[in-house]
């Protein structure tokens, strides 16, 4: 995660003795996507622990099928400092996820928050061709958010059962940064 984005949030707050927690709201495609996202968030929290705390809330794509849950998640995202979407780069976002993005975009309006796309894809896949990335890029632009793209190399559709020995190469840097 881009440390300058996080630090700018606290510079804006004047680096008070007790900084408010950075709010992170995330959605994920499946259990492996959730595990990858929460592991990355734990690393961010560990690296930022001297200056801030992170509070997070997560919803699976499946739960966003309920209009009530989708609205709750959208309202939470509208109040968040960072919105994370952990999914497969090779696939388009499901309609229920696009409806969630549209809802929080309406609630949020212009924002200095960040949208984080965590994309699982084969190592030779050009992430700029990702339909999920394209949709999230447009959503970020529409509300003036910064988009950060982080890729997790693996085969699309490959099982990431935590008990299986599936090798993953997780890159330590943000692959793309798109300021608003």
């Amino acid at each position: 995660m881009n440390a300058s984005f996080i630090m700018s949030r606290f510079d804006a707050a004047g680096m008070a003795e007790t900084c408010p927690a950075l709010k992170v709201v995330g959605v994920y495609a499946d259990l492996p996507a959730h595990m990858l996202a929460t592991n990355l968030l734990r690393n961010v929290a560990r690296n930022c622990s001297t200056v801030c705390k992170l509070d997070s809330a997560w919803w699976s794509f499946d739960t966003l099928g309920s209009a009530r849950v989708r609205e709750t998640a959208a309202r939470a995202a509208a109040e968040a400092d960072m919105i994370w979407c952990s999914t497969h780069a090779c696939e388009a976002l499901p309609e229920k996820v696009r409806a969630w993005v549209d809802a929080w975009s309406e609630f949020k309006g212009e924002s200095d928050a960040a949208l984080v796309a965590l994309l699982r894809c084969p190592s030779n896949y050009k992430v700029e061709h990702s339909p999920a990335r394209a949709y999230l890029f447009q959503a970020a632009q529409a509300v003036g958010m910064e988009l950060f793209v982080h890729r997790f190399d693996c085969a699309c559709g490959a099982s990431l059962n935590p008990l299986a020995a599936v090798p993953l190469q997780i890159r330590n840097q943000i692959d793309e940064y798109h300021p608003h």
Side-chain angles (χ1 to χ4, degrees):
M1 179 53 38
N2 186 325
S4 64
F5 169 78
I6 293 171
M7 293 307 297
S8 71
R9 304 296 293 177
F10 297 105
D11 288 344
M15 286 300 287
E17 285 287 318
T18 55
C19 291
L22 195 65
K23 295 177 189 171
V24 177
V25 169
V27 295
Y28 57 91
D30 51 25
L31 181 59
H34 186 234
M35 290 172 51
L36 291 169
T38 55
N39 285 339
L40 182 59
L41 184 60
R42 262 194 297 282
N43 287 337
V44 171
R46 188 174 25 260
N47 290 328
C48 297
S49 64
T50 59
V51 294
C52 68
K53 290 184 179 182
L54 299 177
D55 287 334
S56 66
W58 294 90
W59 285 269
S60 72
F61 285 8
D62 290 339
T63 63
L64 297 177
S66 161
R68 188 168 32 119
V69 171
R70 188 171 50 249
E71 182 174 350
T72 299
R75 289 192 184 279
E79 296 175 8
D81 298 299
M82 290 191 292
I83 302 169
W84 290 29
C85 181
S86 185
T87 189
H88 310 278
C90 305
E91 301 170 7
L93 293 172
E95 175 55 39
K96 57 191 162 197
V97 177
R98 293 192 310 267
W100 170 75
V101 170
D102 294 344
W104 64 250
S105 296
E106 242 178 69
F107 295 142
K108 197 166 200 61
E110 286 288 320
S111 175
D112 63 347
L115 180 56
V116 179
L118 305 173
L119 303 174
R120 250 175 53 197
C121 56
S123 59
N124 62 347
Y125 184 81
K126 294 185 184 211
V127 76
E128 60 272 9
H129 295 159
S130 167
R133 182 206 156 276
Y135 189 85
L136 294 171
F137 178 76
Q138 290 175 347
Q141 280 194 316
V143 293
M145 294 175 74
E146 296 183 40
L147 175 68
F148 296 92
V149 177
H150 186 87
R151 70 182 294 145
F152 295 96
D153 290 341
C154 69
C156 280
S159 169
L160 287 182
N161 180 335
L163 301 177
V166 176
L168 275 183
Q169 180 184 41
I170 299 175
R171 296 182 181 191
N172 292 325
Q173 77 281 353
I174 297 295
D175 295 301
E176 292 182 60
Y177 167 65
H178 298 283
H180 48 41

